[in-house]
């Protein structure tokens, strides 16, 4: 199942899957190549303006300051013209730089907006097993911090690298044109600078990789701790949780300090090389001026170009932190994008047959870990319209059967059939549209009751009112001042556990699935709400193939067929009456339930 990615469609994903990191970054920039080319063109104007200024200073010194042959008035007028030209060049460079920044920022924001959509859409299509193995905080880091670092890559690196290397090459050419001997002195320092950059790049990249990895761990720990704060407080684990967070933060601090130490060595090293080069030029160039082999203007211009030469090197070193952080983030983002689902979905059929609701398990074996099977050679069949109740102790495999029918996982061996067809041959989206699932924890979308029931479906008011009535929500809706338009969830009304269960039944009725899976959870509701839920169950199960993980006697007795699970195997099966008469595990489970029930629950708690 795939979702819209903007520029990055399915074939685009395949195009970038087998390329290097830099190639992938370039490919993702390709839809905006015109804007990036315009930004590069504007940057050339900025570089040209900056390179023209030292030459203009040279002309001013040699023609109008040092040269005494022209009249004083002519020299002053010449300096004035040169000064106006100097201001004009600076103004032109300022305008070009302004538009370059605007274009790059807009392009970077657009690319990151599209990449964030692509990454989230890709994650929505991954298997449930992926999310079991990757904490939510870690994935949030990919969508926030890592995407932001990629934004810095597109705005500060792609064009900046081109600018800086072009400027370095242009300055070297100008220096050799002006005085090749002085330029040769600078060239002797280039190997030292290159070795320093290579050494720094390796250490910095490793440091930033460690920083990004540990930041993801901190985010994952925070997400898990905050989501389970009630459990932490209940079991008095605040001190231990805080201690663990302090340990994670300390490691994160140490990794950041290591990165700072690397920059603390590299930056002064660049300043040292710059000072050495300038000192050599003043010594040798000053002697050339004294011997009149070189003009004073040329020496001043040479020193200015030297300052411009080391400026992009300093900027590269300063922005190298951005480069390495962005590269580390890019690796993690593309690694997530390259993650493929292990359960490929069949292509949608042009004419899908109407689902009848027959479900069959044939010798199914499955385990969440390969060496720890949960289900062992499980086989059963459920006819269309039949209700199956599954009972058993915790860990017997009840919820695993639900996960397999919904195709959250595929069996390790054996076959699951829907209407006689292997579930793996069905389109997953089509399958899930026809299977309703009521879970123990009901997810509430921040919005109105109507939006939570319909979930973007369109339905006339008459049918919606009938669904509200069948799901036993009508009384609740009538009590609310805004009725169906009452906001619930975050920022709105907080529903009780029982009311959320009734809302879940309304969702199922709105979808009208052929197969219903019900994971009952009514242990924490009052008697009145339990009665409403019992009625809602009756309305929801009618005329549907149903699989119920049963905890209540009334629901179990409503089922025509019952499976008793034990350690991943069927230990007993049959109707309620036959299993009670057998006097086995099922009878003992029912007796235990009756012993734990409060008195006065009436006929629902009595055995036949």
């Amino acid at each position: 199942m795939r979702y819209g990615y903007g520029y990055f469609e399915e074939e685009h994903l395949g195009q970038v899957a087998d390329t290097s990191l830099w190639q992938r970054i370039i490919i993702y920039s390709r839809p905006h190549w015109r804007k990036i080319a315009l930004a590069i063109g504007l940057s050339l104007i900025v570089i040209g303006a900056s390179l023209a200024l030292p030459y203009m200073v040279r002309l001013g010194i040699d023609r109008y300051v040092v040269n005494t042959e022209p009249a004083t008035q002519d020299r002053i007028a010449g300096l004035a013209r040169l000064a106006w030209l100097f201001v004009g060049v600076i103004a032109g460079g300022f305008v070009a730089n302004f538009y370059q920044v605007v274009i790059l920022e807009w392009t970077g924001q657009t690319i990151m907006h599209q990449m964030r959509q692509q990454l989230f859409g890709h994650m929505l299509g991954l298997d449930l097993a992926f999310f079991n193995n990757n904490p939510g905080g870690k994935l949030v880091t990919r969508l926030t911090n890592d995407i932001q670092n990629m934004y810095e890559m597109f705005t500060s690196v792609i064009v900046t690298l081109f600018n800086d290397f072009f400027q370095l090459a242009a300055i070297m050419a100008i220096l050799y044109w002006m005085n090749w001997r002085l330029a040769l002195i600078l060239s002797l320092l280039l190997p030292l600078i290159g070795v320093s950059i290579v050494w720094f790049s390796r250490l910095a990249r490793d440091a930033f990789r460690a920083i990004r990895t540990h930041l993801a761990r901190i985010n994952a720990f925070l997400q898990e701790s905050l989501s389970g704060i009630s459990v932490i407080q209940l079991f008095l684990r605040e001190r231990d949780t805080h201690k663990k967070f302090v340990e994670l933060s300390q490691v994160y601090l140490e990794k950041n300090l290591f990165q700072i130490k690397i920059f603390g060595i590299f930056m002064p090293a660049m300043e040292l090389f710059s000072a050495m080069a300038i000192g050599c030029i003043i010594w040798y160039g000053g002697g050339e001026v004294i011997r009149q082999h070189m003009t004073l203007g040329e020496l001043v211009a040479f020193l200015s170009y030297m300052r411009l030469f080391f400026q992009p090197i300093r900027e590269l070193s300063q922005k190298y932190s951005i480069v390495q952080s962005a590269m580390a983030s890019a690796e993690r983002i593309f690694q997530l994008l390259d993650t493929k689902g292990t359960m490929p979905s069949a292509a949608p059929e042009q004419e899908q047959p109407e689902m009848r609701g027959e479900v069959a398990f044939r010798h199914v074996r499955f385990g969440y870990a390969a060496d720890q099977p949960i289900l062992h050679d499980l086989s059963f069949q459920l006819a269309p319209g039949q209700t199956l109740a599954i009972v058993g102790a915790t860990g017997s495999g009840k919820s695993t059967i639900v996960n397999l029918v919904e195709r959250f996982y595929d069996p390790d061996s054996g076959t699951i059939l829907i209407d006689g067809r292997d579930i793996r041959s069905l389109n997953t989206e089509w399958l899930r549209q026809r299977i309703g699932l009521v879970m123990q924890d009901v997810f509430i979308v921040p919005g109105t009751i109507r939006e939570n029931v319909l979930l973007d479906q369109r339905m006339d008011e008459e049918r919606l009112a009938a669904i509200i009535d069948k799901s036993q929500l009508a009384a609740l809706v009538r009590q609310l001042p805004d009725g169906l338009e009452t906001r619930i969830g975050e920022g709105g009304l907080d529903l009780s556990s029982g009311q959320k269960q009734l809302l879940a039944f309304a969702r199922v009725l709105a979808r009208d699935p052929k197969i219903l899976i019900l994971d009952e959870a009514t242990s924490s509701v009052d008697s009145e709400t339990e009665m409403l839920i019992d009625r809602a169950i009756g309305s929801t199960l009618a005329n549907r193939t149903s699989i119920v993980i049963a905890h209540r006697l009334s629901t179990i007795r409503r089922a025509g067929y019952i499976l008793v699970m034990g350690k991943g195997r069927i230990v007993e099966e049959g109707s309620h009456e036959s299993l009670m008469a057998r006097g086995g595990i099922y009878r003992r489970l029912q007796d235990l339930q009756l012993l734990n029930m409060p008195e006065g629950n009436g006929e629902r708690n009595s055995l036949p």
Side-chain angles (χ1 to χ4, degrees):
M1 183 163 50
R2 290 288 178 183
Y3 298 83
Y5 296 156
Y7 282 99
F8 311 116
E9 302 297 340
E10 188 73 27
E11 60 272 13
H12 195 104
L13 289 173
Q15 180 184 4
V16 301
D18 298 324
T19 55
S20 67
L21 190 59
W22 274 108
Q23 288 174 321
R24 296 183 73 161
I25 292 172
I26 293 173
I27 290 174
Y28 274 74
S29 309
R30 189 175 296 165
H32 302 277
W33 67 269
R34 289 186 177 86
K35 297 181 182 65
I36 294 176
L38 177 59
I40 290 175
L42 291 171
S43 69
L44 294 179
I45 296 176
V46 175
I47 293 173
S50 64
L51 295 181
L53 298 180
Y55 188 77
M56 295 170 66
V57 171
R58 171 194 172 183
L59 291 178
I61 292 175
D62 289 344
R63 288 187 181 182
Y64 305 116
V65 176
V66 178
N67 187 7
T68 59
E69 292 183 2
T72 302
Q73 193 68 24
D74 293 337
R75 292 162 62 192
I76 294 176
L79 284 174
R81 289 192 300 271
L82 198 60
W84 280 110
L85 181 60
F86 194 93
V87 172
V89 171
I90 292 177
F94 169 79
V95 173
N97 188 64
F98 170 78
Y99 283 105
Q100 177 200 18
V101 170
V102 170
I103 292 171
L104 283 180
E105 290 292 328
W106 185 91
T107 302
Q109 290 285 358
T110 302
I111 293 175
M112 291 306 100
H113 172 69
Q114 294 162 354
M115 182 172 284
R116 189 178 290 110
Q117 292 181 71
Q118 177 195 2
L119 187 61
F120 185 66
H122 178 71
M123 287 167 54
L124 289 177
L126 294 176
D127 305 334
L128 193 61
F130 170 82
F131 297 96
N132 293 337
N133 297 325
N134 291 273
K138 176 181 176 181
L139 300 178
V140 169
T141 302
R142 299 291 177 274
L143 289 165
T144 53
N145 300 71
D146 288 334
I147 289 290
Q148 180 62 32
N149 289 337
M150 284 293 292
Y151 162 75
E152 298 290 344
M153 166 73 77
F154 284 105
T155 56
S156 302
V157 175
I158 292 179
V159 176
T160 300
L161 288 177
F162 175 84
N163 289 354
D164 291 342
F165 285 117
F166 180 82
Q167 182 172 340
L168 290 174
I171 290 175
M172 286 301 299
I174 292 173
L175 292 181
Y176 271 98
W177 170 69
M178 290 179 60
N179 191 308
W180 67 270
R181 294 181 180 86
L182 280 177
L184 189 61
I185 295 176
L186 174 62
S187 300
L188 295 177
L189 294 175
L190 291 181
L192 292 175
I193 296 174
V195 170
S196 300
I197 291 176
V198 171
W199 170 82
F200 168 76
S201 65
R202 292 178 178 175
L203 290 179
R205 184 158 191 167
D206 293 340
F208 276 104
R209 280 176 176 170
I211 289 173
R212 304 309 307 166
T213 299
H214 206 73
L215 179 61
R217 292 175 183 170
I218 291 179
N219 287 340
F221 179 80
L222 286 173
Q223 190 268 339
E224 293 168 357
S225 300
L226 295 177
S227 62
I229 187 65
S230 59
V231 178
I232 292 174
Q233 293 178 349
L234 178 64
F235 290 94
L236 305 178
R237 308 303 297 174
E238 295 94 337
R239 189 185 301 275
D240 292 339
T241 304
H242 182 263
K243 180 180 178 182
K244 177 65 174 177
F245 181 74
V246 169
E247 292 174 354
L248 289 172
S249 298
Q250 180 64 33
V251 175
Y252 185 66
L253 173 63
E254 292 172 358
K255 294 184 182 300
N256 275 282
L257 291 177
F258 176 70
Q259 172 254 326
I260 292 172
K261 291 177 182 177
I262 295 174
F263 277 91
I265 297 174
F266 181 75
M267 295 294 291
M270 292 299 102
E271 294 294 336
L272 176 62
F273 292 142
S274 176
M276 290 172 58
I278 292 175
C280 291
I281 289 172
I282 291 176
W283 166 70
Y284 183 80
E288 291 290 283
V289 172
I290 293 174
R291 289 188 290 270
Q292 296 185 350
H293 295 163
M294 185 178 184
T295 66
L296 179 62
E298 288 178 335
L299 179 60
V300 172
F302 211 98
L303 290 172
S304 297
Y305 281 122
M306 283 298 304
R307 180 184 61 82
L308 290 177
F309 181 84
F310 278 93
Q311 178 181 341
I313 294 180
R314 293 190 190 97
E315 289 181 354
L316 282 173
S317 63
Q318 292 171 354
K319 290 181 179 179
Y320 202 80
S321 61
I322 299 175
V323 175
Q324 293 305 315
S325 181
M327 292 296 285
S329 295
E331 287 179 346
R332 302 166 79 86
I333 290 173
F334 292 136
Q335 181 183 23
L336 180 54
L337 287 174
D338 290 340
T339 302
K340 302 298 181 182
T342 58
M343 300 187 304
S345 175
E349 299 179 13
Q350 292 183 351
E351 295 184 5
Q352 291 281 8
E354 186 64 28
M355 180 182 285
R356 295 182 293 111
E358 182 184 35
V359 179
F361 276 52
R362 296 283 185 266
H363 306 289
V364 171
R365 182 183 184 275
F366 172 77
Y368 297 102
D371 56 344
Q372 298 177 358
I374 303 296
L375 300 179
H376 307 268
D377 195 29
L378 182 66
S379 296
F380 66 87
Q381 185 162 345
L382 191 57
Q386 187 177 7
T387 298
L388 169 68
I390 305 176
V391 299
T394 301
S396 59
K398 303 187 300 296
S399 297
T400 301
I401 294 175
V402 172
N403 290 335
L404 292 175
V405 174
E406 281 278 2
R407 210 190 171 209
F408 293 142
Y409 302 90
D410 278 340
D412 298 330
S413 62
T415 308
I416 301 174
L417 304 174
I418 302 291
D419 292 346
R421 300 175 63 187
D422 191 328
I423 196 172
R424 287 168 288 202
S425 67
L426 301 175
N427 178 261
T428 305
E429 185 174 354
W430 177 88
L431 174 69
R432 291 176 181 166
Q433 285 175 345
R434 286 152 180 81
I435 298 179
L437 176 61
V438 179
M439 304 179 68
Q440 294 182 4
D441 297 324
V442 181
F443 177 71
I444 299 296
V445 179
T448 65
I449 292 180
R450 180 192 300 274
E451 292 169 345
N452 272 273
V453 171
L454 297 180
L455 296 178
D456 295 333
Q457 292 187 86
R458 292 185 178 181
M459 186 179 298
D460 58 73
E461 292 297 321
E462 183 177 351
R463 185 184 170 196
L464 178 58
I467 289 173
I468 295 297
D469 187 60
K470 286 183 179 180
S471 62
Q472 308 302 310
L473 273 176
L476 172 64
V477 172
R478 284 194 298 267
Q479 294 174 2
L480 299 175
D482 297 325
L484 289 174
E485 306 308 321
T486 303
R487 293 189 61 83
I488 59 176
E490 185 177 348
L493 179 68
D494 188 18
L495 299 181
S496 67
S497 298
Q499 291 168 340
K500 290 179 181 179
Q501 286 289 319
L502 296 177
L503 177 64
F505 290 121
R507 283 179 181 171
V508 169
L509 291 173
R511 292 179 63 183
D512 193 22
K514 290 296 182 180
I515 299 176
L516 174 66
I517 300 175
L518 174 62
D519 190 351
E520 248 185 291
T522 58
S523 58
S524 60
V525 301
D526 56 70
S527 299
E528 182 180 356
T529 304
E530 190 172 3
M531 180 182 64
L532 293 176
I533 291 176
D534 194 53
R535 293 176 183 173
I537 291 175
S539 300
T540 310
L541 295 182
N543 303 317
R544 304 176 205 281
T545 304
S546 305
I547 301 176
V548 181
I549 297 179
H551 304 281
R552 300 160 62 236
L553 183 56
S554 60
T555 306
I556 297 173
R557 294 179 62 181
R558 184 181 281 116
Y561 188 60
I562 300 171
L563 294 182
V564 182
M565 299 293 297
K567 296 183 179 179
R569 303 180 189 273
I570 299 175
V571 294
E572 291 180 358
E573 57 183 310
S575 65
H576 172 75
E577 291 77 10
S578 64
L579 291 174
M580 291 296 291
R582 187 178 303 173
I585 296 176
Y586 179 79
R587 178 61 183 253
R588 289 198 297 272
L589 290 173
Q590 296 303 325
D591 290 343
L592 288 172
Q593 186 183 52
L594 285 174
L595 288 174
N596 293 325
M597 283 183 177
E599 295 182 2
N601 280 355
E603 182 183 355
R604 185 175 58 80
N605 293 334
S606 62
L607 292 173

